[in-house]
Amino acid sequence: MIALPDLEHHPNPLAAHYSRFRVADRLLLTGHSHQAWPDAGFEGQVEAWNDAAELVDEKWARAEAKADRVRRGYSKILGDREGSIALGHNTHELIIKFLSALPLRERPRLVTTDGEFHTLRRQLNRLAEDGSLEIVKVSAKPADAIAERLIGATNGRTAAVLASSVLYGNAHIVPGLGSVLEHCRRVGAELLVDAYHHVNAVPLSLERDGLGDAFITGAGYKYCQLGEGNGFLRVPPGRDHLRPVITGWFSEFAHLSERVRDSVLYGDGPARWAGATYDPTSHYRAARVFEFFERERLAPELLRDISRHQVGVLAARFDSLDLDPHAITRDRSVPLESIAGFLALESPRAGEVAAAIRERGVTADFRGTVLRLGPAPYLSDPQLHAAMDAIAEVVRAL
């Protein structure tokens, strides 16, 4: 089990488990996006191939066992004891199914924020263009007022509120979503929380956070280190009446022998939200990674401690460099305790900075004028110092 003092030394002892990604030799500040995969994930990929070769079309029972392991992994991270976990290739696939199950003819209003990730932003913008739905966006700044704005915009015409628990653009944690859920209950709307930048970056307890009756979506591409193809939709209890219009034949697996022509039957629990034939390799990989996290005791609470330490190291190093605030700065109006898994730096030339530090061996990304620096639990403090020093060198040269 890794401890915070271990981060002071290079290489970080956890790095040995990520040999194929060479995390000890590279400055990968992509932890808010594509985290490195532990070597255990490669073993899962090989296992998927071997099972297919050995079992051929009978591999699906083995694949379903892997999917169940992934569901248990997500349930544990969410602190969920009552809901069911539907799986999909990505959050977009699952959100589309969620939207298709809503009574949009009777309730044509959807409420969201202007700070959502592209999955929601693009899809809701397109639905707004069609004109049949009313898409209401409230401001995402400041984050601590989002819940109040969402409540104010949600009425009896609202089918659902869709909002993030951590903003993808600046990592600000959104408080008060439990009160949004309470209001949704009063007016008969659903709440869907996009927790993509929350799971495994900040501990999440549906009971403690008052979100036991909310839909929660996310995936494993980022802080869970599961790679692609591991989206999830947590469905709260009491939603067996919902019938997604976007549905695949896997949903009627349990009814194949009784299927009536032209009828649309649904499975129970996660099967209600199932699609069709898919590549199960992602679940093999994810099952192995969840087991690795448990073996190394990388629980959300420890990962949060590591993340807060690393973001703090980056922020302190940045502040000590005393760079021209007109060239690059950070938002100090929000305490570091209210920031999730990455540090956002504001620069009018963020794209140029990202390209220049890449030439110096530092991989990060930018969104508009925001340079996003995402540490990860396999990095060491000396690596974070070196990355920030490279940023300073680039900014001063610009």
Side-chain angles (χ1 to χ4, degrees):
M1 176 179 174
I2 193 170
L4 290 182
D6 295 329
L7 305 181
E8 299 175 4
H9 309 288
H10 185 75
N12 174 335
L14 197 61
H17 296 286
Y18 298 79
S19 63
R20 293 180 179 275
F21 271 75
R22 297 183 289 109
V23 299
D25 305 320
R26 303 159 76 188
L27 299 178
L28 296 177
L29 287 181
T30 58
H32 59 291
S33 180
H34 190 311
Q35 288 212 6
W37 305 343
D39 295 336
F42 181 81
E43 297 165 4
Q45 300 246 155
V46 173
E47 183 185 8
W49 177 279
N50 288 337
D51 276 0
E54 179 67 25
L55 302 172
V56 196
D57 204 34
E58 295 180 0
K59 70 185 179 185
W60 292 107
R62 190 75 58 85
E64 180 57 26
K66 299 298 182 182
D68 281 340
R69 179 65 184 87
V70 175
R71 293 186 186 100
R72 293 196 305 274
Y74 280 133
S75 291
K76 186 174 182 179
I77 289 175
L78 297 175
D80 183 26
R81 292 181 293 182
E82 298 182 332
S84 61
I85 303 293
L87 301 177
H89 284 102
N90 48 59
T91 58
H92 182 256
E93 171 191 344
L94 294 163
I95 288 171
I96 288 294
K97 291 176 182 176
F98 167 77
L99 292 173
S100 78
L102 297 176
L104 295 176
R105 287 192 180 89
E106 296 79 18
R107 291 172 168 265
R109 184 182 178 97
L110 297 173
V111 177
T112 186
T113 83
D114 62 4
E116 299 306 311
F117 185 68
H118 311 307
T119 297
L120 279 175
R121 174 195 59 79
R122 176 180 170 82
Q123 190 61 68
L124 294 182
N125 284 354
R126 181 63 185 89
L127 290 172
E129 287 180 355
D130 188 57
S132 58
L133 296 178
E134 179 185 4
I135 310 298
V136 178
K137 293 185 179 183
V138 305
S139 174
K141 294 181 179 181
D144 60 7
I146 288 177
E148 180 181 354
R149 296 191 190 101
L150 290 172
I151 291 171
T154 303
N155 57 29
R157 286 171 47 83
T158 306
V161 175
L162 306 96
S164 294
S165 55
V166 170
L167 299 178
Y168 91 98
N170 53 22
H172 290 184
I173 299 171
V174 179
L177 291 179
S179 62
V180 177
L181 178 59
E182 291 178 3
H183 181 71
C184 285
R185 283 172 170 167
R186 287 192 291 269
V187 301
E190 297 285 4
L191 172 64
L192 181 139
V193 177
D194 182 349
Y196 212 142
H197 281 84
H198 195 142
V199 290
N200 259 12
V202 180
L204 177 59
S205 168
L206 301 184
E207 182 177 352
R208 182 197 63 220
D209 298 334
L211 295 173
D213 201 37
F215 286 81
I216 313 289
T217 193
Y221 193 71
K222 304 177 187 292
Y223 301 96
C224 293
Q225 301 179 7
L226 308 180
E228 301 87 352
N230 286 295
F232 73 87
L233 176 68
R234 183 267 179 175
V235 181
R239 300 309 193 277
D240 291 343
H241 62 286
L242 295 179
R243 302 176 76 246
V245 174
I246 308 301
T247 184
W249 72 276
F250 268 38
S251 187
E252 56 181 37
F253 242 111
H255 303 285
L256 288 180
S257 62
E258 60 187 83
R259 186 165 58 88
V260 180
R261 183 178 177 81
D262 296 331
S263 64
V264 181
L265 304 176
Y266 291 82
D268 298 325
R272 179 166 292 271
W273 306 86
T277 309
Y278 68 100
D279 180 358
T281 304
S282 58
H283 294 161
Y284 276 79
R285 183 177 63 240
R288 289 291 189 114
V289 174
F290 273 127
E291 290 167 0
F292 165 76
F293 267 55
E294 290 186 3
R295 188 166 61 249
E296 294 297 320
R297 301 181 184 178
L298 296 173
E301 292 74 19
L302 174 60
L303 293 171
R304 175 58 174 164
D305 288 343
I306 292 173
S307 174
R308 290 178 63 181
H309 169 81
Q310 292 181 325
V311 169
V313 167
L314 288 171
R317 188 72 165 189
F318 176 79
D319 292 347
S320 70
L321 294 169
D322 195 27
L323 299 172
D324 179 0
H326 294 97
I328 193 166
T329 188
R330 70 178 183 89
D331 184 359
R332 294 177 176 82
S333 66
V334 177
L336 293 180
E337 290 75 17
S338 297
I339 294 175
F342 65 91
L343 183 69
L345 301 179
E346 286 274 355
S347 173
R349 303 174 73 176
E352 294 178 66
V353 175
I357 62 174
R358 183 180 293 271
E359 294 178 358
R360 290 164 172 78
V362 182
T363 306
D365 73 353
F366 72 99
R367 292 292 185 271
T369 60
V370 178
L371 180 69
R372 304 192 303 174
L373 306 179
Y378 42 74
L379 295 180
S380 66
D381 290 357
Q383 286 177 294
L384 302 183
H385 293 160
M388 192 60 77
D389 290 346
I391 291 172
E393 179 183 340
V394 166
V395 170
R396 286 170 177 148
L398 289 176

